Amino acid sequence: MAKSYENEHPIKAFGWAARDTSGVLSPFNFSRRVTGEKDVQFKVMYCGICHSDLHQLKNEWGNSKYPIVPGHEVVGVVTEVGSKVEKFEVGDKVGVGCMVGSCRECENCSVDLENYCPRQIPTYNGYSSGGTLTFGGYSDIMVSDEHFVVHWPENLSMDAAPLLCAGITTYSPLKYYGLDKPGMHIGVVGLGGLGHMAVKFAKAFGTKVTVISTSANKKQEAIECLGADSFLISRDPEQMQAAMSTLDGIIDTVSAVHPILPLLSLLKAHGKLVMVGAPEKPVELPVFPLLMGRKLVAGSLIGGIKETQEMLDFAAKHNITPVIEVVPMDYVSTALERLLKSDVKYRFVLDIGNTLKATN
């Protein structure tokens, strides 16, 4: 079977893939399509490890298509462009996030919301318009339609790859729900890969930020390192009571099932609780507290390409980068094990360019 993936397309490629629900990654020879007239081909330099990679590798969401080459926080350097490519040249620094295609015709696509297109093509674990499996950034080379490629700002370190998922996932809801106004008071639930980016963006927008966590030992990190203004332990009834009706909005980044009621009590009237974490089981939504302050519970998923570029430019201007641990490719299995135990501050990034070695 591996042989057919190697010969499926003309361009030889190499990466690491999982072959089954064990999720174990190992070297994988495959192929990429020829650079089409609107395509950009680039050498991958860095790729972030996202928590969703873990879910997909083990088929925890029930939609995995093996073999899987994960990775949707991909930064590299352009090596070839198609004859009709207008935005990129060989040598440009570029990024590809969570998607590499959409229908380009629907209502969402027409207003730069390709992320909500019903026919969105994910960067990996999806099917390209040609019907072949998409393979992600744990690989040496990528080919993508130029529309889904973003310019990587010159003054932004290329290893800040998690901006392409964790960054846009938190930037977009802050902007869309109007939680980006100076002087507002914003809560951030959970201080992981998403949460620490939410804190950084919210502070850059000029808001006052409270981190809400179950772990008291994260207080120093939140305030001294990330610049949060205050810290709430969600399991402490006295602290939660004292903070009632103080927040204009909350970005909830937690992926585990957790109670929503205590968070709603923290919101002012017209406050907004935006969910960006994805619990595997339904969370309980008490309606009465929503009625008592015309409050809103909402969701948000990554962002469109135009907004992703806007986010990168904003991050470059305000010197916003994720807190990362850069690791070599052959450390990936250990990194995934550590990620499962939340043993990382706050994102692993694979140094693909220097450490991915092809095997014959």
Side-chain angles (χ1 to χ4, degrees):
M1 183 184 285
K3 206 67 189 161
S4 66
Y5 288 108
E6 210 173 332
N7 300 322
E8 189 171 36
H9 300 292
I11 297 174
K12 296 288 179 227
F14 175 72
W16 282 49
R19 275 56 166 206
D20 53 45
T21 55
S22 69
V24 174
L25 287 161
S26 56
F28 178 58
N29 288 296
F30 65 107
S31 52
R32 299 281 192 192
R33 70 174 185 266
V34 164
T35 309
E37 58 184 21
K38 295 289 283 179
D39 283 340
V40 172
Q41 181 192 117
F42 64 94
K43 174 181 167 57
V44 178
M45 300 306 293
Y46 292 96
C47 184
I49 297 179
C50 179
H51 210 280
S52 58
D53 297 347
L54 269 179
H55 294 299
Q56 304 255 40
L57 286 168
K58 297 186 177 182
N59 196 29
E60 288 173 359
W61 290 341
N63 66 348
S64 297
K65 304 161 189 68
Y66 297 97
I68 293 176
V69 177
H72 61 205
E73 301 173 339
V74 197
V75 182
V77 178
V78 176
T79 50
E80 187 179 25
V81 295
S83 58
K84 293 189 178 173
V85 166
E86 296 168 3
K87 297 194 296 183
F88 301 97
E89 297 176 354
V90 171
D92 284 355
K93 294 176 186 172
V94 293
V96 165
C98 301
M99 55 188 164
V100 289
S102 69
C103 79
R104 309 284 294 278
E105 295 167 355
C106 70
E107 193 176 336
N108 290 324
C109 285
S110 69
V111 289
D112 301 306
L113 293 173
E114 304 92 345
N115 48 318
Y116 299 122
C117 173
R119 290 192 281 159
Q120 181 214 118
I121 300 171
T123 302
Y124 72 89
N125 196 40
Y127 290 105
S128 69
S129 53
T132 58
L133 266 179
T134 57
F135 294 128
Y138 292 22
S139 60
D140 58 353
I141 188 173
M142 297 239 341
V143 180
S144 173
D145 183 300
E146 75 163 331
H147 182 81
F148 295 90
V149 181
V150 288
H151 280 281
W152 195 259
E154 271 306 315
N155 64 324
L156 203 56
S157 174
M158 290 180 81
D159 59 13
L163 286 170
L164 293 164
C165 176
I168 187 62
T169 295
T170 49
Y171 177 92
S172 185
L174 286 166
K175 293 284 286 188
Y176 179 78
Y177 291 106
L179 304 177
D180 58 344
K181 310 290 183 287
M184 278 187 160
H185 193 170
I186 306 300
V188 174
V189 186
L191 199 60
L194 291 173
H196 90 289
M197 290 311 309
V199 173
K200 289 191 170 203
F201 280 123
K203 286 301 294 180
F205 287 136
T207 70
K208 184 180 174 188
V209 177
T210 295
V211 170
I212 303 156
S213 174
T214 55
S215 311
N217 60 3
K218 289 191 174 178
K219 180 174 183 177
Q220 185 177 1
E221 176 84 14
I223 292 174
E224 292 180 16
C225 302
L226 297 172
D229 298 278
S230 50
F231 188 88
L232 264 183
I233 298 170
S234 54
R235 291 190 174 125
D236 184 328
E238 283 183 25
Q239 286 191 24
M240 295 293 280
Q241 179 73 28
M244 272 182 72
S245 306
T246 59
L247 301 179
D248 295 287
I250 296 173
I251 302 292
D252 186 344
T253 71
V254 175
S255 294
V257 175
H258 57 289
I260 297 297
L261 181 61
L263 300 176
L264 294 174
S265 69
L266 299 174
L267 292 171
K268 299 176 184 176
H270 309 128
K272 299 163 185 173
L273 169 62
V274 188
M275 315 290 286
V276 294
E280 287 167 36
K281 297 192 177 101
V283 293
E284 196 173 301
L285 181 63
V287 174
F288 200 65
L290 298 180
L291 312 181
M292 297 307 289
R294 198 152 61 177
K295 296 172 185 178
L296 185 73
V297 177
S300 185
L301 179 77
I302 55 171
I305 300 300
K306 184 179 177 185
E307 189 176 43
T308 301
Q309 186 69 63
E310 177 191 303
M311 175 276 305
L312 283 176
D313 295 340
F314 182 88
K317 182 179 177 184
H318 295 272
N319 197 26
I320 296 170
T321 54
V323 178
I324 57 172
E325 185 177 330
V326 179
V327 297
M329 189 68 223
D330 60 9
Y331 188 78
V332 66
S333 298
T334 308
L336 289 165
E337 285 168 21
R338 285 179 53 194
L339 181 59
L340 195 58
K341 297 184 283 197
S342 301
D343 176 24
V344 58
K345 270 187 184 169
Y346 283 98
R347 274 289 223 236
F348 284 114
V349 175
L350 294 165
D351 181 354
I352 302 283
N354 291 312
T355 68
L356 179 65
K357 302 286 185 271
T359 56
N360 296 320

